[in-house]
Amino acid sequence: MEKLSIKKYKIVKGLLTFALVLPLVYQSAFGQIKLGVGNSKSGTTTKDDKIALSYANPREFEIAEIEVTGLETYDKNAFISLSGLRVGDKIRIPSQTTSNAIKKLWDKGIIGNVALYISKIEGDKAYLVLELTERPRLTRIFLNGITKSQETDIKENLDLIKGKIVSDAILKNAELVVKNYFVDKGFLNTQVNIEQKKDTIISNGVLLNINVDKKSKVRINRITFDGNSELPDDKLRSKFKKTNEKLRFDVFQDGFRLMKKATPKNSWTFLTKSHEVTLDDIKGYFGESVNVNFFKSSKFKKDEFKEDKIKLISYYNSKGYRDARVISDSIFRADANDNEINIDLKIEEGNKYYFGDIQWSGNFVYSDDILNKVLGIKKGDIYDMELIQKKLTFNPNGEDISSLYMDYGYLFFSVNPVEVRINNDSIDVEMRIYEGDQARINKIIITGNDRTNDHVIRREIRTLPGQFFNRRLLIRTQRELSQLGYFDPEQIGINPIPNPSDGSVDIEYSLVERPSDQVELSGGWGGYYGFVGTVGLVFNNFSLKNITNFKTWKPLPVGDGQRLALRVQANGRIYQNYSLTFTEPWLGGKKPNSLTVGANRSVIRNTNYYTQQEYGSMVMNTISAGLGKRLKWPDDYFTMSNTLSYTHYIFDDFQSSGNNQIGFSTGTARNLKYNITIARNSVDSPMFPRSGSELSLSVDLTPPYSLFRDASYYNDPTPENLYGWVEYHKWMFDAKYYQKLFGNLVFSARAHLGFIGTYSDYAPTGPFDRFQMGGSGLSGANNWIVGYDLIALRGYEDNKVTPPGYGKILPPAYGLNGGVAYDKFVFELRYPVTMAAASTIYVLAFAEAGNNFHTLEEFDPFDNYRSIGFGARIFMPAFGLLGIDWGYGFDTLPFTNKTSGGQFHFSIGQQFR
C-alpha cells in the first residue's frame, strides 16, 4: 500500500441539525480533532484523490499507534488509558468515540487543552496523536498590599495548597475570597488582581501574585426609611446597633454641637439659624485642634447590616407589629463619593395587635391561675411573641413556665403557643402543654477532670441520684463548680441524657481543667526598709494524704481541693517575713465545714544606714486556727467562719519611724483575738462576675480587759499597762453588687465601712490593726510592724490618706498613726476582652470616694476624697490577678497645697477593699 504524505485540516465547525451539533459541542468544549489527507510521494495520486473526512462522512480506521505530546510531568500511557482508545481498536473517525475520548481527558481537570490528530494513514490504519497541554501547578502564593494578620486570615480561607492545579475557576474563586474578606470588613471598593508567573525552579509550576488594593472603608452617609408611619425614623435608626450614619455637627452662633442627623429637636435646646456642616468645615472654622469622640462606627459591613435588619423587625414585633417586614433595601453611592453610601429601606409595618384571650390546655399539675401569674401577660397587652417565648422558656429577670415544671422533675415538659384566633386587632393564644412524667436522676457522669478527684466535684453537685430532675439545681451546681477555681467557667458543660424507657435521666458534667496553682514573684520599695522581694507559692488543689505518693506530685500532690500557701518576703537581714497557711474545705469529707491553720513570723531590725550596724529589732510571731461552715438560713449562699489567733510582739530598742507608730521601743505585746465573719456570696463567677452580690460582716474581738480593771490602771502609761494585752473590737462591713447592663458590659457597685474601738472610755485605742488608705492598697512598710488594714483609694499616693500626718512624720503629741474609722464607695463599669482558660482580661472605668478618720467623732460619710479613672485586670492561673489603674484624685490632702492629680497604680492579687 502506498504511503501517503499528510497535510493537516481542521474539522469545520458550524450549526447543523441537533444530531450533528451534539458531537461538535464536545469537540468545541473539550478539544479539537484535526485530520490530515494528501498526496503520496511514491505513487501517482492527485488532489482529486484526497480523502474527505467529516461528521457527515466519517471513515472507519484501525488504530495503529497512539502518540502523546505536550506532557511535562505526567505519564503518557496513563493518558492513553484514560482516553479509552486502544491500539488495534476499530473506530470511525470522527465519531462519538473520538469526542468521548477528548471529553474523558478534559473531565480530569488537569489538562488545559486537548487536540486529536491523525498524523499518518496507511490503508485502513490510522496513526493518532493526542496533543495535550498541562495546567500549571501552584508552587507559591504572594499576597501584596495587606498586613501580615490579614494575610494569615485570608490564606486560611483560600483553600490553595502547594501542588494544586491552577484553573480559571480556582483563580476566580481566590479573587472572590479575597475580595469578600475585605467587603465584610467594610472595604466595598476593594480591587483584586491575580498575576500568574512561571516558576523557574519547579517544572510546570506557577507563582500567584495576588495584588490587593483595599481602597478606603465605605461609610454610611444616610439611612432613610419609607413606609414607617407609626414609628419615627430616629427610633428605627437607634435599633441599628452596628449600622450607623456618620456623625454630623450643628453650628450655632456661639459654638457647635455634635449630633446625629436623625436626632429629634426635642432632644436639644432649639436654636434658629443652625445648619449642617462636615467635620472639615468645623476644623476649617475652629482650627485643626477640634477633638471629636466617635462612639459608634459608620462603616458598612454586610453581615452586620443583615443582623441589624433582623433586630429592626424584632423591635417592630415587640411593639405589636407582628407582620412587619423589610420589603426591600437599596444601597447606593452617595453622590459622586465612592467612599460613602446611602441606605434606603422600605418598610411594611402592618397592623398593630394586642393579646386577646390566653388559654391553657394539657396542664394538670398547675392551674390556669398559677400559670397566668407566672406568665405575667394580660388581655390587652401589646402583642409580643418574643416576650411570650421568654416567659415560657427562660426569663433572666424572674420565674418562667419552663422552670416551674423543670424544677420539679418534669424534664420532658414542653409548651407550644399557638395563635388560634385573630379578631380585628386582638389575637387569642392557646398554650398547649405537654407535661410528661417526672424524671428521676439515675447517674451522675463527670468527664474532663484530669487533675481533680471525683469526690471533690461530687460534693459540690446539688443534683443527686434518686432525686427528681431540677433545672435550678443544675444552674446552682454550675456556679459551685465555677467557684472552685479549678475549671474554666466558660466551658463547664451540663448535658442531661434522658432515658425514655424508664423515665430517668443521666446528667453529664463536662469540665475543662485549668491551672489553679499560683506563683508570686514581686518586688517593691518598702520606704525605710528599701527594696523588698516576695516569693509566694499557692497550691489551690493540694492533696495532703498523697504527700507520700510521688506519682501524684504535679509538682506537688494534687486533686483533693485543699489549699497550701507559702510566702517569703525579705530584703536581707533588715526585714524578713515567713508565712504558711493550710485549708481543708471539707473537714471529715461529709459536710462543707472548713479548717484553716496558719503561722507567720516577721523580723525587723534597725540598722545604721552608713555602718550597717544593728541596734534594735522587733519580732512578731502569729498562729491561728479557724473553722467555717455553710449555712442553710437565711439561704444556702451564707457562710460563717470563726477564727482564733494569737500574736506575740517583742520589741528590743526598736525605733519605728517618727516614734508615733507604736508608742514605745522596748517591751512586749500580746494580741489574743477572736474573729467571726458572716458572709453571703451569690456571684456567678469568681474572676469576672456578671451578676450576683457579695456581703460580709466581720468582727474582731479581744478579751475586754479594761472592763476588769480600774481606770487608775491606765494612769501609768507604761507599755506593759497599755499594750501588754492588746484590747479592741473591730467591725468591717463590705458589700459588692454586679449587674450585666447589655452584652458583656457589667456594672459593679461596692461599699466598705470599718471602725475600731475599745470597751471602755479610759482604755486607749492602740496602734494595732488601724486603717491606712490610698493608692493600690498593697504596699507600705508600716503594715509589717503592727498589721494595718490597707485600703485602696486610686488617684492618691499609697497610704497617704492616713491621719494624722497624711504621709508626713509628726511628733508623738499628734497621736498614733492610722485611722480608727473609714468609708469607701466605688462604682465600676467592666468589659471583658477575653475569657479564655489561659487568661481572663477585662478593662474597667471607675469612680470612687473614701476617707480615713483619726477618731470616731470625726467620722462623716459625706466627707470623702474623690477620684475617677480607668484600668485593666489580667488573671493568669500561674500568677493570679494582676492589675494596672490610672486614677485622677480631685481633692487636696492635708499638709499639701495641690490636688492629688493623676496616679498610676499596680496591684497583685484580688483586691478586697
Coordinates of all heavy atoms in Angstrom, one line a residue, residues 145-172:
G145 N 0.0 44.1 49.5 CA -0.9 45.3 49.8 C -1.7 45.1 51.1 O -2.6 46.0 51.3
I146 N -1.4 44.1 51.9 CA -2.2 43.9 53.1 C -1.2 43.6 54.2 O 0.0 43.4 54.0 CB -3.2 42.7 52.9 CG1 -2.5 41.4 52.6 CG2 -4.2 43.1 51.9 CD1 -3.4 40.2 52.5
T147 N -1.8 43.5 55.5 CA -1.0 43.3 56.7 C -0.7 41.8 56.8 O -1.4 40.9 56.2 CB -1.7 43.8 57.9 OG1 -2.9 43.1 58.1 CG2 -2.0 45.3 57.8
K148 N 0.2 41.4 57.7 CA 0.5 40.0 58.0 C -0.7 39.3 58.6 O -0.9 38.1 58.2 CB 1.7 39.9 58.9 CG 3.1 40.3 58.3 CD 3.5 39.2 57.3 CE 4.8 39.5 56.7 NZ 5.2 38.5 55.7
S149 N -1.4 39.9 59.5 CA -2.5 39.3 60.1 C -3.6 39.0 59.1 O -4.3 38.0 59.1 CB -3.0 40.1 61.3 OG -3.5 41.4 60.9
Q150 N -3.8 40.0 58.2 CA -4.9 39.8 57.2 C -4.4 38.7 56.2 O -5.3 37.9 55.8 CB -5.0 41.1 56.4 CG -5.7 42.2 57.2 CD -5.7 43.6 56.5 OE1 -4.9 43.8 55.6 NE2 -6.5 44.5 57.0
E151 N -3.1 38.6 55.9 CA -2.6 37.6 55.1 C -2.9 36.2 55.7 O -3.3 35.3 55.0 CB -1.1 37.8 54.8 CG -0.5 36.8 53.9 CD 1.0 37.0 53.6 OE1 1.4 38.1 54.0 OE2 1.6 36.1 53.1
T152 N -2.7 36.1 57.0 CA -2.9 34.8 57.7 C -4.3 34.4 57.6 O -4.7 33.2 57.3 CB -2.4 34.9 59.1 OG1 -1.0 35.3 59.2 CG2 -2.6 33.6 59.9
D153 N -5.2 35.4 57.9 CA -6.7 35.1 57.8 C -7.1 34.6 56.4 O -7.9 33.7 56.3 CB -7.5 36.3 58.3 CG -7.2 36.6 59.8 OD1 -6.8 35.7 60.5 OD2 -7.5 37.8 60.2
I154 N -6.6 35.3 55.4 CA -7.1 35.0 54.1 C -6.6 33.7 53.6 O -7.3 32.9 53.0 CB -6.6 36.2 53.1 CG1 -7.4 37.5 53.4 CG2 -6.8 35.7 51.7 CD1 -6.9 38.6 52.6
K155 N -5.3 33.3 53.9 CA -4.8 32.1 53.5 C -5.5 30.9 54.1 O -5.6 29.8 53.5 CB -3.3 32.0 53.8 CG -2.4 32.8 52.9 CD -0.9 32.6 53.2 CE -0.1 33.3 52.2 NZ 1.4 33.2 52.4
E156 N -6.1 31.1 55.3 CA -6.9 30.0 55.9 C -8.1 29.7 55.1 O -8.7 28.6 55.2 CB -7.2 30.4 57.4 CG -6.0 30.4 58.3 CD -6.4 30.8 59.7 OE1 -7.6 31.2 59.9 OE2 -5.5 30.8 60.6
N157 N -8.6 30.7 54.4 CA -9.9 30.6 53.7 C -9.7 30.3 52.2 O -10.7 30.0 51.5 CB -10.8 31.9 53.9 CG -11.1 32.1 55.3 OD1 -11.4 31.2 56.1 ND2 -11.2 33.4 55.7
L158 N -8.5 30.5 51.7 CA -8.3 30.4 50.3 C -8.4 29.0 49.7 O -8.7 28.8 48.6 CB -6.9 31.0 49.9 CG -6.9 32.5 49.6 CD1 -5.5 32.9 49.3 CD2 -7.8 32.8 48.4
D159 N -8.0 28.0 50.5 CA -8.0 26.6 50.1 C -7.1 26.4 48.9 O -7.4 25.7 47.9 CB -9.4 26.2 49.7 CG -9.5 24.6 49.6 OD1 -8.7 23.9 50.2 OD2 -10.4 24.2 48.8
L160 N -6.0 27.1 48.9 CA -4.9 27.0 47.9 C -3.7 26.3 48.5 O -3.1 27.0 49.4 CB -4.5 28.3 47.3 CG -5.6 29.0 46.4 CD1 -5.1 30.3 45.9 CD2 -5.9 28.1 45.2
I161 N -3.4 25.1 48.2 CA -2.3 24.4 48.7 C -1.3 24.2 47.6 O -1.6 24.1 46.5 CB -2.7 23.1 49.4 CG1 -3.4 22.2 48.3 CG2 -3.6 23.3 50.6 CD1 -3.8 20.8 48.9
K162 N 0.0 24.0 48.1 CA 1.1 23.8 47.1 C 0.8 22.5 46.4 O 0.5 21.5 46.9 CB 2.4 23.7 47.9 CG 3.6 23.6 47.0 CD 4.9 23.6 47.9 CE 6.1 23.6 47.0 NZ 7.4 23.5 47.8
G163 N 1.0 22.6 45.0 CA 0.8 21.5 44.2 C -0.6 21.4 43.6 O -0.9 20.5 42.7
K164 N -1.5 22.3 44.0 CA -2.9 22.3 43.4 C -2.9 22.8 42.0 O -2.1 23.7 41.6 CB -3.8 23.1 44.3 CG -5.2 22.9 44.0 CD -6.1 23.5 45.1 CE -7.6 23.2 44.8 NZ -8.4 23.6 46.0
I165 N -3.7 22.2 41.1 CA -3.8 22.6 39.7 C -4.5 23.9 39.6 O -5.5 24.2 40.3 CB -4.5 21.5 38.9 CG1 -3.7 20.2 38.9 CG2 -4.8 22.0 37.5 CD1 -4.5 19.1 38.3
V166 N -3.9 24.9 38.9 CA -4.5 26.2 38.8 C -5.3 26.3 37.5 O -4.9 26.1 36.4 CB -3.3 27.2 38.7 CG1 -3.9 28.6 38.5 CG2 -2.4 27.2 39.9
S167 N -6.6 26.5 37.8 CA -7.6 26.6 36.7 C -8.2 28.0 36.8 O -8.1 28.7 37.7 CB -8.7 25.5 36.8 OG -9.4 25.7 38.0
D168 N -9.0 28.3 35.7 CA -9.7 29.6 35.7 C -10.7 29.7 36.9 O -10.8 30.7 37.5 CB -10.5 29.8 34.4 CG -9.5 29.9 33.2 OD1 -8.3 30.3 33.5 OD2 -9.9 29.7 32.1
A169 N -11.3 28.6 37.2 CA -12.3 28.6 38.3 C -11.6 28.8 39.7 O -12.1 29.5 40.5 CB -13.1 27.2 38.4
I170 N -10.4 28.2 39.8 CA -9.6 28.4 41.0 C -9.2 29.8 41.2 O -9.3 30.4 42.3 CB -8.4 27.5 41.0 CG1 -8.8 26.0 41.1 CG2 -7.4 27.8 42.1 CD1 -9.4 25.6 42.4
L171 N -8.8 30.4 40.1 CA -8.4 31.9 40.2 C -9.6 32.8 40.5 O -9.4 33.7 41.3 CB -7.7 32.3 38.9 CG -6.4 31.6 38.5 CD1 -6.0 32.0 37.1 CD2 -5.3 31.8 39.5
K172 N -10.7 32.5 39.9 CA -11.9 33.3 40.1 C -12.3 33.2 41.6 O -12.7 34.2 42.2 CB -13.0 32.9 39.2 CG -14.2 33.8 39.2 CD -13.9 35.2 38.8 CE -15.1 36.1 38.8 NZ -14.7 37.5 38.5

